[in-house]
Amino acid sequence: MRELSVVGVRVELPSNQPIVLLREVEGDRYLPIWIGAVEATAIAYEQQGVKPARPLTHDLLRDVLAALKAPLRAVEITELKENVFFADLLIGDGVRVSARPSDSIALALRVGAPIRCAEQVLSEAGIVIPDEQEDEVEKFREFLEQVRPEDFAG
């Protein structure tokens, strides 16, 4: 497993489909995952420090895990089948729960849990951005600083 960090979310044009972009902590590969608008909003809220008046679903799950004293230890993106990513939540002392990567990432950000990815998934779906395209990544980071979670509302 390779550890990843969340670069951020953005909307792919012209389809208006949100993606979350992850990057290897110790490596050069990026992993783009197409996600739903609700999950994009949840990830963007957490990255921007937005605290809604009432808990979102991912906040609720964080609170339930805390109340049960069953911490989220890690998120693992385990496989890619027919262009669909699969992930597991590693909870407490060895409990593994299947989950969508988008929900898993939103929860991991809320509790500070590491996000890991199977080498096979990174080999298949990871991309290396050449040096001349690094300015595009910087533009993406600038975009993330200006985007609001409401921009992802369908």
Side-chain angles (χ1 to χ4, degrees):
M1 288 282 171
R2 306 284 302 202
E3 188 164 347
L4 303 176
S5 63
V6 179
V7 176
V9 292
R10 68 176 278 194
V11 176
E12 275 289 309
L13 296 175
S15 67
N16 287 329
Q17 179 70 37
I19 66 165
V20 61
L21 185 63
L22 306 166
R23 182 179 183 174
E24 278 184 294
V25 171
E26 294 183 16
D28 297 327
R29 292 177 290 185
Y30 290 83
L31 184 65
I33 300 176
W34 278 257
I35 62 175
V38 172
E39 293 79 13
T41 300
I43 291 168
Y45 269 5
E46 190 60 29
Q47 284 196 306
Q48 295 176 3
V50 174
K51 300 298 178 200
R54 298 293 299 143
L56 299 175
T57 304
H58 304 96
D59 302 315
L60 174 63
L61 184 52
R62 174 201 59 211
D63 296 347
V64 167
L65 290 174
L68 294 173
K69 296 183 180 12
L72 178 64
R73 303 275 184 210
V75 163
E76 293 183 349
I77 300 169
T78 56
E79 53 186 330
L80 176 62
K81 290 185 199 173
E82 298 176 12
N83 295 321
V84 176
F85 290 89
F86 293 81
D88 287 339
L89 302 174
L90 279 59
I91 301 170
D93 295 325
V95 175
R96 202 176 262 274
V97 177
S98 180
R100 295 182 302 185
S102 55
D103 290 322
S104 302
I105 292 164
L107 183 58
L109 288 173
R110 282 163 172 73
V111 302
I115 300 166
R116 301 183 191 119
C117 185
E119 178 61 40
Q120 182 176 342
V121 173
L122 276 170
S123 295
E124 187 175 339
I127 57 173
V128 176
I129 298 176
D131 289 340
E132 61 269 11
Q133 289 183 3
E134 282 294 326
D135 62 327
E136 290 297 319
V137 174
E138 186 56 37
K139 287 179 190 174
F140 180 55
R141 286 190 178 110
E142 290 171 13
F143 164 80
L144 291 174
E145 292 173 5
Q146 298 172 8
V147 72
R148 298 176 324 225
E150 297 82 30
D151 295 337
F152 297 105

